[in-house]
Amino acid sequence: PSLLLLLTLTKLTNCFLFSPRQEIMKWNGWGYSDSKFLFNKKGQAEFTGKRYRLSGMTLPSLQDWFENTFGASVKHKSPPVLNASVVPPPRLNEAFVENLKATGIPFSNEAEDRVFRAHGHCLHEIFALREGKKFERVPDMVVWPNCHNDVVKIVELACKHNVCLIPYGGGTSVTSALECPPEETRCIVSLDTSQMNRILWLDENNLVAHVEAGIIGQDLERLLNESGYCTGHEPDSMEFSSLGGWVATRASGMKKNVYGNIEDLVIHIKAVTPRGVIEKSCQGPRTSTGPDIHHFILGSEGTLGVVTEVTMKIRPIPEYQKYGSVVFPKFEAGVACLREVAKQRCAPASIRLMDNKQFHFGHALKPQVSSIFTHFVEGLKKFYITKLKGFDPHQLVVATLLFEGDRERVLQHEKQVYDIAATFGGLAAGEDNGQRGYLLTFVIAYLRDLGMDYCVVAESFETSVPWDRVLDLCQNVKERIIRECKERGVQFQPLTSCRVTQTYDSGACIYFYFAFNYRGLADPVHTYEQVEHAAREEILANGGSLSHHHGVGKLRKEWMKDSISNVGVGMLKSVKEYVDPENIFGNRNLL
Amino acid sequence: SVSSSFPFSLLDPMLKRDCFEDILEERRNSSDLKYALRCYAPVLYKGVTPCKANMLKNIVLQSDQLHYVINQVSQESGEAPDIIQEEASVILEEMAHRLQISTVRCFAFALSKAFKTLFQHVCVNEEGIQRLQQAIQEHPVVLLPSHRSYMDFLLMSYILYTYDLALPVIAAGMDFMGMKFVGEMLRMSGAFFIRRSFGGDKLYWAVFSEYVKTMLRNGFAPIEFFLEGTRSRTCKSLTPKLGLLNIVIEPFFKGEVFDVNLVPVSISYERILEESLYARELLGVPKPKESTSGLLKARRILSEDYGSIHVYFGQPVSVRSLAQGKVNRSTYNLFPRHIPRKPMEETQSFVNDTAYRIVRLQEDNMVLKPWVLMASLLLQNLEGLELSVLTEQTVWLRGLALSYAAFLDWPDQAPTAKVVSSSLALHRGLACVSGDRVSLVVGEPLGPVTPEEALFNRAVSVLSCASYRNQVLHVFLRPAMLAVAMLHLSDEVYNCFSFLWDMFSNDFILCPGDTVQDFEEACYLLVKTGAVQMPQQDIVMTDIGQPTLSFFNGLLEPFLQGYQVVCRYLCEEASEGLTEKQYIPAVRSFAVKLILAGNLRCYEVLSSDMQKNALAALLRMDAVRKVKVADQVTLIVNKMAVNSIDDILGKNRMISHINQTPISPSLSLVAVAEDLYRDGLTPSYIR
């Protein structure tokens, strides 16, 4: 069985090694240029390309779902404007350029290279690209170090010539972290880590691998797999995000229940700062040597330096993997079940609970059924759940599961979880439903592009919250969004959907999708931002955190003081002050 | 200018009141039985299914909140948790409602009959009902009616039944439980019973608050209670009690509900059933203990005409919008939600503020009848006055009231004389016309009476009449205080206003911290009606301002005199060890002496309500202190302080018998503001 849904894709593409990624990736949307959703001439949705399980398939129910959910119509198109953005001319620091040339490290000041690294994937960024709007500030040049020592040289030169550096990994930020501060007058250099993508060594005795931080998630996984190992770190963005980026934003992977989050996975971090290189002297599995300096770097969001090399835990590839799903009559029952699973500490590698809206969303992605028999079986299942078991199709929710390990234990584990689910009224609903749930998270960003082709804007955001507040938070945030949309003149009911996407001993991570049809609005992005702002306020008022894994960037800076107290902000500031007094790493994230 | 820079209801162009619909009209034309048995299917909050009373009890008994307190109490008392749990269950049993639609139908039938006999009309603003219906579906609703009669909550349920709205559960005082049968009937029509005082009883509080919150959170039914805590015997709104309001607002702060809608409801009676009962009670005849037989005796009242009732459902007030920027909900994040906790200061002041605003909203929508204006005039002319003069002055007062946005129900078509005479007819127990003179009726005693008895009878009619005048006070209060302050001839008009404001804040609904705003409102209103001019921010009476200012002065006169009598008593008569218990009878007999000696003509000071409020004011101003000695609470009087308060009031009073010279206070508002600032008030009070 394939480890990843997209394993087929990794076989086909020759990964990113040494190829400028903008050649195979969209410049104004998500992912690969060859992969996109569209409504074909028959009005049916299809997913182009060959990379994904859904690729080349038609999705007969997507159009209905789309039109009914958003009040949108495939007749109302809003295609992207095709001319690239007007790019402000580069402000080069000649002395820096001269010195850089002498090192032989490749760089560029081509407009295309610079714009590509001027943004992440926030709605406003992608919207601006599609509309051909001018970016106020973009990097003045891009530099591609090949190894740790290259980075040392670049940082030294930047300090010498007072140049602003912005590290760039996979470019999947959704917090405006890559946005260049418009007030920055110095030359801005985007430090692209993509060429630092090797596994330097692999230690099977201690089960660790030493990896360059520019490596992209799927490449890391593929290369390790060749040796029979994996990291098990699978954030939804892993096709495009980088190891250094994970460290810099405190990333979380969907299988963290087995493998841990990024902070649990790293054993050693090497980073280059204006003060010099920071690293530990040993690889002891745990130390008591004052506050853990790794935690200054984890979540530093590129404000202190560049992560160049990471030693990371690895695991043998699990022998067996199995998807599963459970339907519950109501969201409340599902949350109670997940809470119990967390209490008993028997969570499978992944366990997620999608609300009713997301369940329907997932269903809209069902490919055309090939045989009458499958059709018949589907019908029977539906009949069983809604008619015999009395589940209301507008209330029921589904938990998706992923088990990993040796076969016997997986089956045992599976039984344990299904037994718990049964006590909360949950019914096992098959592997296919489970798998489709995970598929949704990998294609969701492609679907956003489709929405934007038809006047629908969309975004996701997340938080973490204690168990007892999960239900209230979900409900209040959704209600707040609906109310704010109404007050701001959004003419169509917005889509608000959430899932409990990670479980912990004392709480859970909640992931929201939010989208609306913006026809009739003068400035949809502004409206969107206001609503998202209000939603975040609501999250904070309901005991949710500022972020579980997306980070703060510039998007959520304003709430940092309330989140970590004045003293907390002061501590971070003093670290920044010591490490980078000239603000060389001047992306102005976090603080 | 000062008067245009502040927000208050009278300046609000949105202030438009709804029209009324008489719900008795249909009752008079169709079968009551059919009405009582008709299909009743109200829409509920987000379509919840109604919760059986027993299920509700189980939810409460099994809640984390209650478990926590049970364990806590068990640890403190050494009793086993089971026993405490059992106690909790008993408390809940005693408290819980057992709403049954069949009982409600019985009431619907019986009340239809009763209302048709007692009242001419029961008028309801249907737009308010529509808003309420909408609100019930969106968020948990708390109904907050004014409370002037026993009738209030039956009437509320009756109206909601009539309009097919969800029936409320109603917090009622335990004293109803005394009436066995009636108590159970009320319970089955949605009342739940709470002890009047349960100060330190943690378990009781926990059961009670969890019971209310469970109903609110789940939106099983609108919750109804009286912010004023008890029936107002004077027809003035009472200082709001915060306990229940705290309970219903907390689920919002804790994020358990998205919002809570507070719906102020103003119930105005043209004639109050308990009219003379209240007056007697205020004069010291203790309130009859509620008993079923007592209620049956009240059948006598069924033969009288009590005019109309107006019930106005106000605009739902969203707690979420009110709290915006005032309370930081995330301060609730660091404490488990099921552990009871004293509200934070920020929250307390928000709830207090909210309570006052709601009571003011209730006041704003109280319907005033012409008689209310006439009573105000009669009380300023206790010797009586010519019918033609009364009519003329009533018309004048009507104009004034309307320009101050009073919600006056004045018959449109009828000639003034007709309006006046029919008002007099309805209230013939209080006023009579003999020859051309109108005067208060004094109850005819049987046989010879002592001077004290005569005085008592007179006081009953004065206090009854005052309960009508009191209904209009909220309209005139602020300009009236300004008028008194101006006629005081002090050069510090604002300071004098502020003194009165502070002094009277137990007697009237004055929102804490609103002194400056109220002063500005007063200035605005007096300028608006031409009684006052404000050249260069001075305050000067105009040529035509005399009648208005003098009327306002007379309006507050009984209060000024009353407070002064209390001061005099405390300075001149009060003995060293005066206990709180002795205070009211002692002041009363002091006042009786003064009246009998011909030194005082004010009967309202005999009202225990005024006496209590005056004492509360003096306590607040630190002129009197309470000291607990053994089991007695003793009042320690600071005679100097009381004397100086008496002086200020005294000056007011003497001046208030009006010399005709124009008044020219020299103090500018800016100077006042500076003074205030210097005195350490927060600058935010100054705009």
Side-chain angles (χ1 to χ4, degrees):
Chain A
S2 67
L3 243 187
L4 279 173
L5 294 166
L6 38 125
L7 206 73
T8 40
L9 100 94
T10 45
K11 292 267 159 61
L12 284 165
T13 45
N14 191 13
C15 74
F16 291 126
L17 303 185
F18 304 107
S19 69
R21 56 192 117 177
Q22 59 261 45
E23 279 174 22
I24 55 164
M25 290 180 68
K26 292 193 197 84
W27 62 273
N28 64 351
W30 178 261
Y32 300 102
S33 307
D34 55 21
S35 301
K36 66 179 293 192
F37 285 96
L38 49 81
F39 290 115
N40 61 24
K41 288 203 180 90
K42 280 190 278 177
Q44 280 191 323
E46 60 177 76
F47 192 43
T48 63
K50 292 178 180 162
R51 295 170 188 271
Y52 298 88
R53 226 166 58 112
L54 276 184
S55 296
M57 297 201 179
T58 47
L59 312 166
S61 29
L62 187 60
Q63 187 192 336
D64 273 354
W65 176 85
F66 182 74
E67 295 193 330
N68 292 335
T69 305
F70 298 107
S73 159
V74 295
K75 289 186 197 105
H76 295 120
K77 289 202 78 170
S78 54
V81 180
L82 282 176
N83 60 325
S85 312
V86 196
V87 181
R91 306 180 198 178
L92 294 178
N93 181 320
E94 295 302 337
F96 174 79
V97 175
E98 282 310 304
N99 282 204
L100 188 64
K101 268 183 191 157
T103 64
I105 301 169
F107 68 90
S108 152
N109 50 35
E110 293 294 319
E112 203 185 315
D113 292 330
R114 290 162 52 219
V115 172
F116 192 81
R117 286 160 187 80
H119 64 85
H121 283 269
C122 286
L123 176 75
H124 68 97
E125 295 170 321
I126 300 302
F127 202 87
L129 286 168
R130 291 170 58 97
E131 301 276 295
K133 293 228 174 76
K134 184 179 170 179
F135 280 98
E136 226 180 304
R137 190 78 172 90
V138 305
D140 299 299
M141 55 190 284
V142 182
V143 44
W144 284 273
N146 193 44
C147 61
H148 170 78
N149 285 339
D150 282 357
V151 175
V152 173
K153 285 178 204 159
I154 294 167
V155 173
E156 270 169 10
L157 289 179
C159 292
K160 186 172 161 199
H161 300 289
N162 195 21
V163 159
C164 171
L165 290 178
I166 297 184
Y168 183 90
T172 56
S173 155
V174 284
T175 59
S176 302
L178 289 167
E179 221 168 77
C180 298
E183 67 273 24
E184 182 57 76
T185 53
R186 298 173 295 180
C187 168
I188 299 178
V189 176
S190 174
L191 192 155
D192 185 322
T193 59
S194 61
Q195 306 311 304
M196 297 162 47
N197 55 11
R198 287 152 293 221
I199 295 176
L200 296 178
W201 46 257
L202 203 146
D203 175 354
E204 291 178 273
N205 289 325
N206 295 310
L207 287 179
V208 293
H210 191 66
V211 189
E212 288 184 308
I215 195 162
I216 298 301
Q218 57 169 313
D219 297 335
L220 175 62
E221 231 38 36
R222 182 176 46 77
L223 292 171
L224 287 174
N225 288 357
E226 286 168 9
S227 321
Y229 293 101
C230 66
T231 63
H233 184 67
E234 294 183 12
D236 293 350
S237 63
M238 71 172 296
E239 294 172 85
F240 308 108
S241 57
S242 70
L243 171 56
W246 300 338
V247 170
T249 56
R250 297 180 60 88
S252 169
M254 90 179 193
K255 297 196 295 200
K256 72 95 193 153
N257 293 336
V258 174
Y259 301 95
N261 287 317
I262 193 69
E263 68 273 20
D264 311 310
L265 284 164
V266 294
I267 292 295
H268 184 266
I269 300 173
K270 195 196 270 189
V272 182
T273 76
R275 273 281 168 193
V277 175
I278 179 174
E279 63 180 322
K280 290 186 186 176
S281 68
C282 72
Q283 299 193 17
R286 181 184 187 272
T287 56
S288 173
T289 47
D292 190 343
I293 55 157
H294 282 169
H295 285 280
F296 287 121
I297 301 161
L298 283 157
S300 60
E301 304 194 359
T303 57
L304 300 177
V306 192
V307 180
T308 54
E309 291 171 15
V310 176
T311 310
M312 219 180 159
K313 294 183 197 170
I314 55 171
R315 299 291 304 164
I317 296 175
E319 162 195 317
Y320 188 66
Q321 205 184 29
K322 192 174 182 193
Y323 286 98
S325 65
V326 182
V327 281
F328 294 96
K330 278 183 146 192
F331 192 62
E332 286 83 344
V335 171
C337 172
L338 263 66
R339 203 276 161 270
E340 184 60 28
V341 166
K343 197 186 257 172
Q344 297 191 21
R345 291 204 171 158
C346 63
S350 170
I351 178 166
R352 287 176 172 179
L353 180 73
M354 305 196 288
D355 71 359
N356 183 265
K357 293 257 177 63
Q358 214 162 118
F359 168 73
H360 287 290
F361 189 2
H363 257 250
L365 293 178
K366 265 195 176 173
Q368 195 137 37
V369 184
S370 38
S371 77
I372 293 174
F373 179 72
T374 346
H375 203 82
F376 176 71
V377 171
E378 288 296 314
L380 261 187
K381 272 193 214 155
K382 195 172 166 188
F383 178 78
Y384 175 71
I385 287 178
T386 59
K387 293 292 182 307
L388 290 185
K389 289 288 169 180
F391 284 27
D392 177 353
H394 299 291
Q395 294 272 327
L396 64 85
V397 299
V398 60
T400 60
L401 309 164
L402 174 61
F403 298 90
E404 267 189 19
D406 54 73
R407 201 183 136 83
E408 198 135 311
R409 246 190 252 165
V410 162
L411 296 178
Q412 227 175 14
H413 194 176
E414 195 185 20
K415 183 175 180 316
Q416 187 186 6
V417 172
Y418 283 116
D419 284 350
I420 294 174
T423 64
F424 293 93
L427 292 176
E431 288 184 62
D432 188 49
N433 271 320
Q435 207 163 354
R436 193 171 315 106
Y438 293 99
L439 175 73
L440 179 66
T441 64
F442 279 96
V443 298
I444 189 78
Y446 287 105
L447 283 163
R448 177 170 82 175
D449 288 340
L450 176 73
M452 285 164 96
D453 286 339
Y454 295 94
C455 305
V456 171
V457 286
E459 186 69 286
S460 60
F461 52 89
E462 41 74 25
T463 187
S464 55
V465 63
W467 277 115
D468 74 311
R469 283 179 171 269
V470 167
L471 285 175
D472 292 331
L473 181 134
C474 292
Q475 199 188 324
N476 289 341
V477 170
K478 287 180 188 176
E479 187 145 2
R480 180 74 181 266
I481 290 174
I482 289 168
R483 180 190 266 216
E484 294 283 336
C485 282
K486 205 166 163 192
E487 279 171 16
R488 293 174 201 291
V490 176
Q491 321 232 325
F492 303 85
Q493 179 86 356
L495 167 73
T496 60
S497 167
C498 69
R499 68 170 179 265
V500 179
T501 202
Q502 288 290 11
T503 63
Y504 293 88
D505 286 350
S506 70
C509 168
I510 316 287
Y511 206 91
F512 289 92
Y513 290 143
F514 156 44
F516 62 84
N517 180 344
Y518 65 79
R519 270 171 53 222
L521 289 183
D523 189 350
V525 169
H526 181 63
T527 306
Y528 162 77
E529 282 172 344
Q530 287 177 314
V531 178
E532 195 201 356
H533 189 272
R536 182 57 59 179
E537 304 244 273
E538 195 61 35
I539 285 175
L540 298 174
N542 281 273
S545 63
L546 191 51
S547 171
H548 170 265
H549 60 273
H550 280 175
V552 175
K554 289 179 270 292
L555 195 62
R556 285 185 272 276
K557 263 166 87 162
E558 62 179 292
W559 290 292
M560 273 298 271
K561 220 189 253 177
D562 289 340
S563 295
I564 64 170
S565 83
N566 280 327
V567 177
V569 170
M571 286 167 89
L572 296 186
K573 274 191 175 150
S574 65
V575 169
K576 167 81 176 172
E577 186 60 30
Y578 172 76
V579 172
D580 183 15
E582 301 301 323
N583 195 28
I584 297 301
F585 287 89
N587 60 17
R588 303 195 192 221
N589 292 336
L590 276 180
L591 296 174
Chain B
S1 82
V2 193
S3 51
S4 60
S5 63
F6 60 93
F8 81 95
S9 58
L10 303 191
L11 291 178
D12 185 358
M14 296 299 285
L15 184 77
K16 256 185 21 207
R17 277 131 174 174
D18 308 334
C19 302
F20 284 103
E21 198 77 18
D22 180 6
I23 58 170
L24 282 192
E25 202 173 292
E26 205 196 319
R27 295 277 46 75
R28 296 191 205 279
N29 296 325
S30 65
S31 152
D32 288 335
L33 194 61
K34 245 192 208 160
Y35 162 78
L37 293 176
R38 81 199 160 84
C39 169
Y40 167 73
V43 200
L44 294 175
Y45 170 57
K46 284 188 183 145
V48 291
T49 41
C51 178
K52 287 262 155 39
N54 268 333
M55 202 171 104
L56 179 63
K57 283 183 204 161
N58 282 337
I59 299 177
V60 174
L61 287 174
Q62 281 159 20
S63 66
D64 293 344
Q65 283 80 349
L66 198 54
H67 272 199
Y68 181 86
V69 175
I70 285 171
N71 286 333
Q72 201 183 24
V73 171
S74 148
Q75 265 165 26
E76 282 166 9
S77 66
E79 292 276 15
D82 298 1
I83 296 176
I84 312 282
Q85 170 91 26
E86 191 48 43
E87 260 176 61
S89 172
V90 170
I91 294 174
L92 191 56
E93 203 59 39
E94 172 195 271
M95 181 183 307
H97 76 81
R98 275 199 301 277
L99 183 59
Q100 271 181 354
I101 185 66
S102 54
T103 314
V104 174
R105 290 187 193 282
C106 286
F107 266 112
F109 181 76
L111 288 176
S112 295
K113 298 284 181 215
F115 286 163
K116 280 187 283 189
T117 344
L118 286 168
F119 303 108
Q120 294 166 13
H121 310 283
V122 173
C123 300
V124 178
N125 63 325
E126 288 196 341
E127 282 164 74
I129 292 286
Q130 280 155 20
R131 289 191 297 254
L132 177 61
Q133 182 161 31
Q134 186 68 30
I136 284 176
Q137 289 170 58
E138 283 170 358
H139 301 295
V141 162
V142 179
L143 292 166
L144 298 168
S146 58
H147 200 12
R148 309 235 159 132
S149 168
Y150 271 142
M151 202 61 121
D152 291 329
F153 78 76
L154 290 175
L155 179 63
M156 283 288 291
S157 298
Y158 182 83
I159 292 169
L160 296 184
Y161 173 81
T162 303
Y163 285 103
D164 214 20
L165 287 173
L167 288 170
V169 288
I170 308 128
M174 205 65 138
D175 27 13
F176 274 111
M177 290 279 290
M179 308 185 267
K180 274 255 165 62
F181 175 70
V182 174
E184 286 313 300
M185 282 294 277
L186 294 178
R187 200 192 277 284
M188 288 189 284
S189 64
F192 64 94
F193 295 98
I194 41 179
R195 297 180 192 158
R196 281 266 176 227
S197 62
F198 44 91
D201 192 340
K202 254 187 218 169
L203 186 67
Y204 192 88
W205 177 261
V207 173
F208 165 54
S209 72
E210 195 48 31
Y211 181 64
V212 175
K213 284 181 196 168
T214 304
M215 293 189 286
L216 181 97
R217 279 194 288 257
N218 296 303
F220 292 139
I223 292 177
E224 176 180 315
F225 65 91
F226 301 105
L227 260 182
E228 298 163 278
T230 182
R231 289 169 299 148
S232 165
R233 270 69 168 171
T234 57
C235 281
K236 280 185 288 137
S237 297
L238 303 178
T239 305
K241 305 275 183 298
L242 305 182
L244 256 164
L245 191 62
N246 255 315
I247 291 177
V248 297
I249 285 182
E250 198 180 63
F252 165 71
F253 288 137
K254 287 187 170 173
E256 293 163 344
V257 293
F258 184 77
D259 199 354
V260 175
N261 273 321
L262 307 177
V263 180
V265 183
S266 314
I267 307 177
S268 334
Y269 295 90
E270 187 168 11
R271 254 191 86 191
I272 292 160
L273 296 161
E274 295 99 326
E275 185 181 83
S276 64
L277 206 65
Y278 284 160
R280 278 165 214 284
E281 203 183 308
L282 291 170
L283 288 166
V285 182
K287 160 181 161 191
K289 197 160 186 293
E290 277 85 357
S291 69
T292 307
S293 61
L295 200 84
L296 290 178
K297 266 181 224 148
R299 272 178 60 97
R300 187 178 54 86
I301 60 174
L302 283 171
S303 56
E304 294 226 18
D305 179 3
Y306 286 88
S308 316
I309 304 176
H310 285 84
V311 183
Y312 194 97
F313 289 82
Q315 199 81 40
V317 176
S318 145
V319 172
R320 175 176 276 265
S321 324
L322 274 189
Q324 179 79 35
K326 289 192 187 135
V327 179
N328 180 5
R329 283 183 288 157
S330 61
T331 48
Y332 286 80
N333 290 349
L334 295 178
F335 208 81
R337 295 190 292 177
H338 65 279
I339 300 182
R341 223 174 140 208
K342 206 168 170 263
M344 281 162 286
E345 210 171 295
E346 191 182 54
T347 316
Q348 271 176 343
S349 82
F350 170 76
V351 171
N352 189 42
D353 205 52
T354 304
Y356 273 89
R357 310 259 155 220
I358 296 287
V359 176
R360 276 203 78 183
L361 288 172
Q362 286 173 356
E363 286 184 334
D364 275 352
N365 292 323
M366 289 301 255
V367 170
L368 306 177
K369 286 290 190 174
W371 169 249
V372 165
L373 304 178
M374 293 161 64
S376 309
L377 293 163
L378 278 171
L379 279 174
Q380 293 192 32
N381 300 276
L382 284 178
E383 310 73 27
L385 71 177
E386 298 274 313
L387 180 59
S388 57
V389 177
L390 178 64
T391 308
E392 183 190 318
Q393 290 197 4
T394 303
V395 171
W396 169 80
L397 193 51
R398 171 183 178 233
L400 194 64
L402 284 177
S403 63
Y404 288 4
F407 196 0
L408 199 57
D409 182 38
W410 191 283
D412 280 333
Q413 310 297 331
T416 316
K418 180 96 195 309
V419 173
V420 169
S421 66
S422 63
S423 296
L424 285 167
L426 188 72
H427 296 279
R428 59 183 173 276
L430 287 179
C432 66
V433 192
S434 56
D436 270 349
R437 279 190 91 70
V438 184
S439 56
L440 288 189
V441 173
V442 177
E444 288 301 319
L446 303 162
V449 289
T450 63
E452 281 86 358
E453 281 169 332
L455 180 149
F456 177 79
N457 282 336
R458 188 148 176 81
V460 168
S461 47
V462 170
L463 288 188
S464 303
C465 197
S467 75
Y468 291 95
R469 175 212 56 205
N470 285 347
Q471 296 178 27
V472 80
L473 280 179
H474 69 92
V475 178
F476 293 138
L477 177 64
R478 288 157 188 82
M481 286 196 299
L482 180 58
V484 172
M486 284 175 65
L487 296 168
H488 178 212
L489 272 185
S490 135
D491 38 26
E492 304 239 328
V493 177
Y494 176 80
N495 284 356
C496 185
F497 178 88
S498 162
F499 168 81
L500 292 170
W501 192 97
D502 199 20
M503 189 87 205
F504 287 142
S505 55
N506 289 79
D507 250 311
F508 308 116
I509 300 302
L510 296 163
C511 301
D514 272 3
T515 322
V516 172
Q517 190 178 319
D518 284 344
F519 181 67
E520 289 170 345
E521 182 179 324
C523 294
Y524 167 80
L525 289 176
L526 284 181
V527 169
K528 183 183 171 197
T529 43
V532 145
Q533 281 177 331
M534 292 174 70
Q536 282 105 46
Q537 302 206 320
D538 277 4
I539 307 176
V540 184
M541 184 169 84
T542 60
D543 302 342
I544 56 159
Q546 175 59 41
T548 309
L549 295 195
S550 141
F551 168 76
F552 282 158
N553 215 38
L555 196 64
L556 291 187
E557 174 72 12
F559 294 90
L560 295 163
Q561 280 194 24
Y563 277 54
Q564 213 182 352
V565 169
V566 169
C567 288
R568 294 259 163 91
Y569 164 74
L570 289 174
C571 287
E572 294 165 15
E573 289 267 312
S575 58
E576 195 64 5
L578 176 70
T579 64
E580 200 181 14
K581 263 192 196 147
Q582 294 162 342
Y583 165 77
I584 286 181
V587 175
R588 190 183 299 130
S589 55
F590 178 72
V592 167
K593 252 194 301 178
L594 285 180
I595 297 173
L596 288 177
N599 292 331
L600 180 69
R601 281 185 305 169
C602 171
Y603 289 83
E604 287 185 53
V605 69
L606 295 171
S607 153
S608 59
D609 180 65
M610 186 179 285
Q611 292 155 1
K612 280 181 204 156
N613 290 334
L615 180 61
L618 293 172
L619 283 165
R620 196 161 15 80
M621 294 164 130
D622 284 332
V624 177
R625 275 184 308 128
K626 275 187 190 177
V627 177
K628 203 166 175 187
V629 183
D631 278 348
Q632 301 271 27
V633 178
T634 313
L635 301 173
I636 309 284
V637 182
N638 176 348
K639 293 202 173 168
M640 264 232 305
V642 173
N643 244 325
S644 73
I645 291 170
D646 180 26
D647 269 359
I648 304 175
L649 291 169
K651 262 192 268 166
N652 270 319
R653 209 162 59 73
M654 268 164 319
I655 303 302
S656 68
H657 287 294
I658 309 294
N659 42 43
Q660 306 277 339
T661 49
I663 302 154
S664 52
S666 60
L667 191 83
S668 78
L669 287 176
V670 175
V672 167
E674 281 167 357
D675 271 4
L676 261 180
Y677 193 70
R678 208 175 41 234
D679 293 347
L681 281 175
T682 55
S684 67
Y685 286 15
I686 311 298
R687 263 155 280 250

